[in-house]
Structure formats: C-alpha cells, structure tokens
C-alpha cells in the first residue's frame, strides 16, 4: 500500500493568521496519525510564513510515524534537519519567495551540490528524496547524486487530468519505470487530491508514498479530517 503523508503547512498558515496557537499544530499532527495518516510532512521556508523552525523541533516528539521535512537545502534548513533527524528529508529547489513549489531539480547541473547534501544526510541516518520532474535524464541525475528516493512533481498531471486528459499520466509511468530500474524509491506530490489520487496510484508502479497538504486540508473543511484521511487511504489501497 502507498503511504499517505499529510503536509500540515496549511494548518500552520491558519494558526499564524491570528498570532496565537489555534489550531494547535501538534494536536493536529497527533490526530492525523490517530486517524490513519502514515506520515507527517512539513515544508519550512526561510520567512517562516507557515511552518516555523521551532515547529519542526516540537513535532519531533509528536510524530511517531514517518516525519518528512522538505525544503531548499540552504544552510539554515540543513542545520534544522540535522538537528531534528526526521525519517526523510525531501530536497526541493524553491526560490526564497515562492508561494509553492514550481519545478523539480536540474539534477545534472546541481549534481555535485546535491551529492554533498545527500551524503551529509545519509551519514546522519536520514533517508533522502529529490523533487524532480518526470524526465528520464533528471531521474538518472538523481541516481548519480546518490539519493534514496525521488519525489515526482505532479502538478502537470493534476492540471491535465482535471481537463480530462488521462494521457497526462504517461510520462509519470515512464519515470516510475526508470526509477525502479535504477533502484530508486518513488514518492509523489503536488496538487494530488481525492479527484485524481486513485487514478494516479493505479497507474504508477511501485509508488511508496504521496505527500498531500493543500487539497486534503481544503477537502477537510467540508468532510472533516478523520473522514478525508480515510478516504485517501481507501483510494491508495
């Protein structure tokens, strides 16, 4: 079964809007796992506009499933990850002011840098994943950099699927086959939702984990967190 890791950035955004501690991020993370989520994902950014660096430290004591910290491996981020020692770090090439992730790594151009970061994480017992577009050369570059897994950037699939283009899954199937041949683990994330997750899962071989935040939290406004988590789990079976 593909694991569901819930990104709780949007919970932090809601909390920060009032300057207090409602909703309580730690309580939500605890409850999500109680509801069945198999992981918690956070994506701290330098301006701490949603997840704060202290949140990562505090969550370490709460997350008893898989803890995934994703972000741009700048010095402050690297120091935080090495301090928290999550299950997995996902390296994402965000611009500092980006609203959300918008592209995967150029793993050829950045191979030396990525390799250095990955080796440091692995020396500390942290599984590594690289955020990539579904392109064969980028996946091969990820392998050459020494990563344990890749995370396929799924925005293009989600957009085209919403327009009725089911063939948008094709490059992801190819990418997954290449990654499998290279003995890379496969994660996926970005704009996956209840509308498209089952189709994506059924067509993608060896999918280990999906990270879902914005859609899941938005859907939960109508359906409730417990219900939505279990709806995802049913579609991921």
């Amino acid at each position: 079964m593909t694991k569901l890791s819930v990104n709780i950035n949007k919970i932090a955004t809601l909390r920060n809007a009032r300057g207090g501690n409602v909703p309580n991020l730690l309580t939500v993370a605890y409850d999500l796992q109680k509801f069945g989520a198999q992981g918690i994902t956070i994506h701290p950014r330098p301006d701490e506009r949603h997840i704060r660096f202290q949140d990562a430290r505090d969550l370490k004591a709460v997350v008893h499933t898989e803890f995934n910290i994703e972000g741009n491996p700048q010095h402050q981020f690297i120091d935080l990850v090495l301090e928290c020692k999550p299950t997995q770090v996902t390296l994402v090439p965000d611009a500092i002011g980006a609203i959300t992730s918008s592209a995967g790594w150029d793993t050829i151009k950045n191979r030396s840098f990525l390799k250095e970061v990955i080796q440091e994480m692995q020396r500390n017992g942290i599984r590594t994943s690289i955020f990539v577009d579904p392109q064969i050369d980028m996946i091969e570059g990820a392998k050459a950099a020494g990563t344990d897994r890749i995370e396929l950037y799924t925005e293009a699939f989600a957009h085209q699927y919403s327009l009725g283009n089911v063939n948008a899954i094709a490059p992801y199937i190819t990418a997954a086959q290449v990654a499998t041949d290279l003995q890379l683990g496969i994660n996926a994330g970005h704009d996956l939702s209840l509308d498209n997750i089952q189709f994506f899962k059924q067509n993608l071989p060896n999918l280990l984990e999906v990270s879902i935040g914005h859609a899941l939290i938005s859907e939960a406004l109508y359906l409730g967190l417990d219900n939505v988590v279990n709806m995802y789990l049913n579609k991921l079976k």
Side-chain angles (χ1 to χ4, degrees):
M1 180 176 175
T2 301
K3 289 185 177 181
L4 171 65
S5 186
V6 179
N7 185 316
I8 57 173
N9 279 22
K10 287 298 183 294
I11 301 297
T13 300
L14 185 60
R15 174 200 63 187
N16 295 353
R18 289 291 294 267
N21 197 32
V22 178
N24 186 301
L25 192 78
L26 303 185
T27 300
V28 172
Y30 176 84
D31 287 340
L32 284 165
Q33 294 169 99
K34 183 174 66 176
F35 298 153
Q38 295 130 327
I40 298 294
T41 292
I42 58 171
H43 189 144
R45 287 185 165 87
D47 60 7
E48 297 187 295
R49 64 180 181 270
H50 34 64
I51 292 293
R52 300 166 182 154
F53 278 44
Q54 187 58 44
D55 291 332
R57 301 182 181 102
D58 294 340
L59 282 163
K60 181 65 177 174
V62 174
V63 180
H64 57 80
T65 56
E66 291 199 353
F67 191 19
N68 175 42
I69 303 180
E70 60 182 30
N72 193 324
Q74 299 171 336
H75 291 300
Q76 188 180 20
F77 176 85
I78 291 173
D79 290 343
L80 178 70
V81 173
L82 292 176
E83 176 185 350
C84 294
K85 289 187 168 57
T87 315
Q88 176 176 267
V89 60
T90 302
L91 307 180
V92 184
D94 287 341
I96 289 179
I99 295 175
T100 187
S101 305
S102 58
W105 283 97
D106 183 333
T107 59
I108 297 172
K109 180 179 178 181
N110 296 284
R111 183 178 301 170
S112 295
F113 170 69
L114 289 169
K115 188 171 185 177
E116 182 179 351
V117 174
I118 289 165
Q119 288 177 341
E120 180 65 16
M121 297 300 171
Q122 291 172 339
R123 277 195 294 269
N124 283 271
I126 304 167
R127 187 176 71 223
T128 61
S129 180
I130 298 180
F131 197 62
V132 294
D133 294 301
Q135 300 172 4
I136 293 174
D137 55 345
M138 294 300 106
I139 296 168
E140 291 173 340
K143 176 66 176 181
T147 191
D148 302 297
R149 295 187 182 185
I150 57 167
E151 179 173 326
L152 293 172
Y153 175 41
T154 50
E155 182 183 23
F157 158 75
H159 176 67
Q160 289 299 317
Y161 185 82
S162 71
L163 300 176
N165 180 13
V166 297
N167 292 325
I169 194 69
Y172 293 87
I173 294 173
T174 301
Q177 291 169 338
V178 170
T180 298
D181 290 343
L182 293 173
Q183 297 183 313
L184 290 172
I186 303 166
N187 299 340
H190 205 92
D191 288 351
L192 295 174
S193 69
L194 285 174
D195 291 333
N196 59 39
I197 189 64
Q198 189 169 29
F199 179 84
F200 188 82
K201 156 66 179 174
Q202 289 175 341
N203 285 276
L204 213 72
N206 304 316
L207 180 62
L208 297 176
E209 175 185 298
V210 291
S211 175
I212 304 177
H214 182 79
L216 188 151
I217 301 303
S218 298
E219 290 155 348
L221 292 175
Y222 288 92
L223 302 170
L225 274 175
D226 190 353
N227 189 32
V228 165
V229 166
N230 283 279
M231 291 171 73
Y232 273 98
L233 294 175
N234 285 330
K235 290 176 180 291
L236 287 168
K237 286 182 180 177

